[in-house]
Every structure is written in structure tokens, then in C-alpha cells.
Amino acid sequence: MENKLIVTPSPHVKDGVSTSSIMMNVAAAMVPAAIAATLIFGVRALVLVLVSVAFSVFFEYIYRKLMHLDCTISDWSAVVTGMLIAFNVPSTLPVWMVILADAMAIIVVKQLFGGIGDNFVNPAIAARIFLLISFSGRMTTWADPINFVGGPVDAVSGATPLAILTAADAKVSDAPDMINMLLGIRGGSLGETCAIALLVGGIYLIWKKVITATIPVTVLVTVFVMSLVTGLNPWYMLVSGGTMLGAFFMATDYVTSPVREPGKVIYGIGIGVITVLIRAYGTYPEGMSFAIMLMNIVTPHIDGAIKKMPFGGVSK
């Protein structure tokens, strides 16, 4: 008699989603921002993105090879990390510093902790903070946008709009207008300037169900509310700095963000609150990277605090 009871390990419900398909969608969602960065800052922006991706993949391949581990470059996670690192640096940064950041992210933060799925913080975030602390001068030297449409470019030289707006004598009139902020015609890191491109990429990820809207929406709403509370311009706080880039592409990292929806809300609120507090009262005008890293570290505690009680379980 044929055995109709087949026992197999979980998961019992499967679909066609894989790590590589998820990461390919994330990379595709960042293409509009990469194109915008190239148009805004010139070909050097594209060179930095390509170099960062190439060396991220190289470092992952060579590490796995030397450690006699399975090659994982086909999962596209190194490509995504490389793009995010490039998006978090100014177009003026020397290429060797970008390569150093790639090594930091892939070898130290990702592979030494066990590879994808085992890192305790987002590798690209850790690499950006490493660069900011080690080479603060280079990381805060901004290039003027290139003007492709003719006429003078109304952009701030030598400082980002966020640095201007969080200064003691800040005036909105000193910063680029909102249209330029949305289009990215301003100083800043490669992937954070064009808010429209980032928003398009974020909506694409939500539409493809790669991420849920919970974390991005919670982060953006919290930044808006906290900006009002601290006396900062809430609309500028949303479109300046790394708010959009962090909310859609870095805070939503599967490994370092909470699993359940209530945890995601707590996580997003924490990122928004810390970001604005650093912008309003801290030494650095930008706080998104520090906020995400801090909440990455807290994520296991959030998951532990809100986990469901198993059926029939007893509270301690």
C-alpha cells in the first residue's frame, strides 16, 4: 500500500522567492538613484558605484575561497552592499577609501560573523560610520552638482542643506528650494540627494513585497513629528540627509530589523527619534546611520520582548 503520509522538515509552504531574487529586486530599486547620482555629480559617481560593487563581490569571493566555504556571490547581497556603500559617500571621496569601506563591510562585519543572515548590524551602515569617523574631512567634502539644463545651479557649495538647516542661525532661505531638494540638485552623498528616485525605488520594493511599508512609514512619520517638536523644518528633514535612503533601503534589512509588525513600529520610531535628536543637538548634522546601527543592536531585544507565547505555553 502506498504511503500517503509524507513527513519532511519545515518549511512546508514554499514559493519561488529566494535570497538572490530579493537582492536583485533591491539592486533594481536602487538603479534610479544611481542614474540620478550620475546625472547630478557626473561620471565619477557611476565609477564609485561600479568600483564599490566590484570590490564588494571580490572580497566576498576571495574570503569564502580562502576559508574553503561555499561561494555566495550569486545571492547578490554583496552587490547590494556595494551599491549602498557608494550611495553613502560623497562623489569627491578617493576610490581607495571606498575599497577600504568595502573590505570593512564584507570581511569584518559580514563574513567574520558568519556571512549573510548572521551579521548583527547592516554592513553598509557600519562601513559608512567607519569612514565618517576615520576620514571625517573627506566624508564631509561635497561637490557642487553638474548643471545639464543650462543656467546657474542654485546649490550650496561646501555644505549640505542638512548642515545648514541644523546650524544655530539656520534659515530655510539659505538652503536650496524644495524642488531642488526633491530632484537632488544639492550637495550630499551620491545616493541620498534625489528624494524622488529613492521614493520610486522604495515604492517598487513595497509593490514587489520585498519589504512592508511599516518601517519606512514609521521612520518618516517619526522624523516629521520629532522635527516639529525640536523646531526643525519637517519637510526639509524628510528630503535631506539620508532619511529616504535609510528608511527604504537600510533600515529594512531583513537580518537586522525586527520580524513582527509591532516590533517594526518600535524599531522605526526609535530610528526616527534618535535621528532627529542627533540632528538637533548632536555634533554631526546627520544622525540616520547612527540611529539605524543603534536600533540594529536593539533588534534582538525587541523581537524577544514581543514574541508570541506558543499555544499552551506558560509565562515565566
Side-chain angles (χ1 to χ4, degrees):
M1 180 178 179
E2 183 181 354
N3 183 6
K4 295 184 178 181
L5 179 62
I6 301 175
V7 180
T8 60
S10 61
H12 302 293
V13 179
K14 302 180 181 180
D15 59 23
V17 176
S18 63
T19 301
S20 58
S21 66
I22 290 171
M23 292 299 167
M24 287 175 68
N25 273 317
V26 175
M30 289 192 285
V31 168
I35 294 173
T38 305
L39 294 175
I40 294 166
F41 296 108
V43 177
R44 195 172 194 280
L46 180 61
V47 170
L48 289 181
V49 173
L50 295 177
V51 167
S52 184
V53 168
F55 274 91
S56 292
V57 173
F58 169 76
F59 286 132
E60 180 154 322
Y61 173 81
I62 201 69
Y63 179 91
R64 306 287 295 189
K65 194 76 171 177
L66 292 174
M67 295 295 106
H68 304 288
L69 299 170
D70 293 337
C71 183
T72 55
I73 60 173
S74 61
D75 65 15
W76 280 67
S77 62
V79 173
V80 170
T81 299
M83 292 182 74
L84 284 174
I85 290 172
F87 279 14
N88 276 279
V89 304
S91 61
T92 56
L93 196 74
V95 172
W96 69 267
M97 289 186 184
V98 176
I99 296 172
L100 186 61
D102 294 332
M104 171 71 179
I106 298 297
I107 297 174
V108 178
V109 181
K110 183 181 179 183
Q111 294 300 333
L112 288 182
F113 283 90
I116 187 171
D118 293 315
N119 46 282
F120 70 101
V121 295
N122 186 304
I125 290 286
R128 185 186 190 279
I129 293 176
F130 164 74
L131 286 175
L132 188 60
I133 294 173
S134 303
F135 312 104
S136 57
R138 287 287 194 173
M139 283 291 288
T140 53
T141 300
W142 315 104
D144 285 334
I146 294 175
N147 183 16
F148 285 93
V149 296
V153 176
D154 182 19
V156 180
S157 176
T160 62
L162 190 58
I164 294 170
L165 292 171
T166 53
D169 56 347
K171 295 179 182 178
V172 175
S173 59
D174 293 335
D177 59 38
M178 188 59 69
I179 297 298
N180 281 344
M181 295 288 287
L182 291 171
L183 295 176
I185 312 301
R186 57 188 177 87
S189 297
L190 297 184
E192 70 181 25
T193 56
C194 186
I196 291 177
L198 293 169
L199 191 58
V200 169
I203 292 172
Y204 172 80
L205 291 180
I206 295 171
W207 173 63
K208 296 292 288 186
K209 297 182 179 180
V210 174
I211 63 173
T212 64
T214 306
I215 291 175
V217 170
T218 305
V219 170
L220 296 178
V221 170
T222 305
V223 167
F224 188 92
V225 173
M226 282 296 297
S227 298
L228 287 174
V229 171
T230 55
L232 299 174
N233 185 299
W235 297 109
Y236 270 92
M237 291 302 106
L238 287 180
V239 298
S240 61
T243 306
M244 290 285 184
L245 178 63
F248 285 108
F249 293 98
M250 294 189 288
T252 54
D253 176 42
Y254 285 9
V255 182
T256 55
S257 61
V259 176
R260 297 185 61 224
E261 294 300 301
K264 292 178 180 180
V265 172
I266 297 171
Y267 173 80
I269 292 173
I271 291 173
V273 169
I274 296 171
T275 296
V276 177
L277 288 178
I278 292 175
R279 289 180 178 183
Y281 307 112
T283 303
Y284 292 106
E286 173 62 295
M288 180 60 73
S289 296
F290 294 101
I292 294 176
M293 175 174 275
L294 287 171
M295 293 309 295
N296 284 168
I297 296 171
V298 177
T299 289
H301 301 288
I302 296 175
D303 280 334
I306 65 167
K307 66 180 179 182
K308 287 184 176 181
M309 178 66 65
F311 182 74
V314 179
S315 300
K316 292 183 180 179

